[in-house]
Amino acid sequence: MTNAPEDQPNDRRTATNEFRTTENVPEDAEWEVVTQVPYDSSESDGLTTTIIYAVAEAEDVSPSDIKQPPLYEVVDTAALESALFGSGSSIQTSQCSTEFMYRGHRIVVQTNG
């Protein structure tokens, strides 16, 4: 995450838009793990499906209710899946993670090596 722009306060306040996307989250903000879902790239469900189901579980709603914003507008899950879990990826043999915000949730995708 990057620091808040100078015209925005750098404190623990958050702004939530209609899609529940949190902005201005300080780097030292404390996070609570709401759900944790394992992902197996050899199974038929893609990374997108796994993320949507995890968010639905965290919000206690049906996965079909997770429509806005579309996940593809927030992160390129195909590129992420290829980089972290694709065949020939050197990351597969090491531990690596990336994170992004979606619907007010901090989503962490990590490999276990």
Side-chain angles (χ1 to χ4, degrees), residues 36-93:
Q36 192 170 9
V37 179
Y39 171 68
D40 184 348
S41 60
S42 65
E43 293 183 5
S44 61
D45 289 340
L47 184 58
T48 298
T49 301
T50 302
I51 292 169
I52 294 297
Y53 273 74
V55 171
E57 183 179 326
E59 294 183 6
D60 197 26
V61 298
S62 168
S64 62
D65 292 336
I66 308 297
K67 297 177 182 172
Q68 293 296 326
L71 185 58
Y72 65 82
E73 288 184 1
V74 176
V75 66
D76 184 344
T77 55
L80 185 59
E81 186 168 14
S82 177
L84 295 180
F85 306 104
S87 61
S89 173
S90 62
I91 295 175
Q92 286 182 322
T93 59

